[in-house]
Amino acid sequence: RIFRLKRDEALINRLGFNNNGALKVRDNIIKAKKYTSKNFIIGVNIGKNKETPNETAADDYKKCFELLYDCADYFTLNISSPNTPGLRELQNEKYLDELLKELKNLNDKLSSEKGIPLKDIFVKISPDISNEEAEVIFNTACKYELTGIVATNTTISRNYNMQDINQAGGLSGKPLNKLSNHILSLLSEMKKNAGSNIILIGVGGIFNKTDIEVKRNCGAELMQIYTGMIYEGPALVKKLLN
């Protein structure tokens, strides 16, 4: 369910959200923090279960959020994976408003009860949305005082000059670069017009110094790399930092 498009330096994946559950993730994070001297920041990317209808999706996010609250440094609400049926509908205003409201209220409640600072919350969005949909997401994220927006997830669109495009799933790597930068630029313009402090994280097709510079010019303040590490290896991080 993962396919390398080597000529295009891309991947197609249709993994879905298979995992051992939030409690196991919690154990893994606690162990990692116990056995390392490094002060790593660990973010947790949460989503709904495949069988959960969108009408009650917020319950899944809230349960993960609460179970992992003590050990996660920040949370990303994944509402944009193309491999969980119906998940991208959560980007619609009706569902998104409810989800972000519920998570904000829970964040306030848990922070107060535990006497710890509020957790930073990001929302991860699709590169396949329209300008109007991007505006709805931006305004709703600002309304509920999210820390930031992750732009973007993988795409279901295909460049027909690519190899091996007959596989279903989310496309990442170099072919995603322009799409994700377009969404990033849209959000950056909205941020400027609104005078907002919301943080934009750039994701999609980062392989080299130029990719970093372009993302920064498009408004990214932080970057995430995924497919680049598959092709370049872990040393890519050091190379980009240098």
Side-chain angles (χ1 to χ4, degrees):
R1 284 152 54 173
I2 305 177
F3 306 90
R4 290 195 191 205
L5 284 62
K6 292 183 181 178
R7 190 189 71 198
D8 304 295
E9 294 181 272
L11 296 176
I12 293 174
N13 94 79
R14 50 174 182 267
L15 290 172
F17 287 161
N18 307 292
N19 65 89
N20 291 321
L23 288 173
K24 180 62 177 174
V25 172
R26 176 186 171 84
D27 289 344
N28 289 341
I29 294 173
I30 290 170
K31 284 178 187 174
K33 288 189 171 182
K34 181 179 178 182
Y35 291 112
T36 180
S37 60
K38 301 282 187 182
N39 186 26
F40 286 118
I41 294 171
I42 298 181
V44 178
N45 191 326
I46 58 177
K48 79 174 186 71
N49 286 319
K50 183 178 179 181
E51 296 81 7
T52 304
N54 286 344
E55 288 72 22
T56 56
D59 293 340
D60 282 8
Y61 288 88
K62 286 163 62 182
K63 187 169 186 178
C64 288
F65 190 80
E66 189 161 7
L67 285 170
L68 294 158
Y69 197 82
D70 292 334
C71 64
D73 296 305
Y74 73 89
F75 288 88
T76 297
L77 311 180
N78 189 339
I79 57 171
S80 53
S81 167
N83 300 316
T84 298
L87 185 78
R88 287 187 166 190
E89 292 174 15
L90 296 179
Q91 295 175 119
N92 298 343
E93 187 171 12
K94 170 190 166 187
Y95 291 122
L96 185 63
D97 192 272
E98 179 190 358
L99 175 63
L100 299 192
K101 179 173 70 175
E102 293 275 353
L103 266 295
K104 183 184 186 305
N105 290 342
L106 184 57
N107 197 12
D108 291 341
K109 175 176 175 285
L110 293 173
S111 172
S112 176
E113 288 176 355
K114 297 174 182 292
I116 58 177
L118 290 166
K119 294 292 179 177
D120 290 306
I121 302 177
F122 294 81
V123 62
K124 187 171 188 177
I125 66 173
S126 164
D128 303 319
I129 55 175
S130 67
N131 293 12
E132 292 75 18
E133 289 169 322
E135 188 171 10
V136 166
I137 292 167
F138 176 83
N139 290 337
T140 311
C142 290
K143 176 181 177 182
Y144 292 108
E145 301 175 326
L146 260 62
T147 305
I149 299 173
V150 182
T152 64
N153 213 315
T154 57
T155 179
I156 56 172
S157 68
R158 298 289 188 264
N159 177 335
Y160 290 95
N161 291 321
M162 289 167 46
Q163 65 173 120
D164 300 330
I165 57 169
N166 59 331
Q167 296 293 347
L171 173 70
S172 62
K174 288 199 172 177
L176 177 60
N177 198 290
K178 284 186 180 179
L179 269 178
S180 61
N181 288 347
H182 170 68
I183 297 296
L184 195 55
S185 296
L186 280 177
L187 295 171
S188 180
E189 188 65 24
M190 293 173 200
K191 175 179 173 176
K192 186 166 65 175
N193 292 338
S196 169
N197 292 322
I198 200 163
I199 295 170
L200 302 179
I201 298 182
V203 194
I206 297 176
F207 283 72
N208 53 48
K209 176 186 174 184
T210 301
D211 297 329
I212 288 281
E213 289 172 345
V214 172
K215 290 264 188 239
R216 187 173 286 145
N217 290 338
C218 290
E221 294 157 88
L222 297 169
M223 318 280 174
Q224 292 179 348
I225 55 175
Y226 290 89
T227 305
M229 288 189 73
I230 301 297
Y231 284 98
E232 301 285 334
L236 176 62
V237 177
K238 185 174 183 180
K239 185 173 89 172
L240 292 175
L241 289 173
N242 287 339

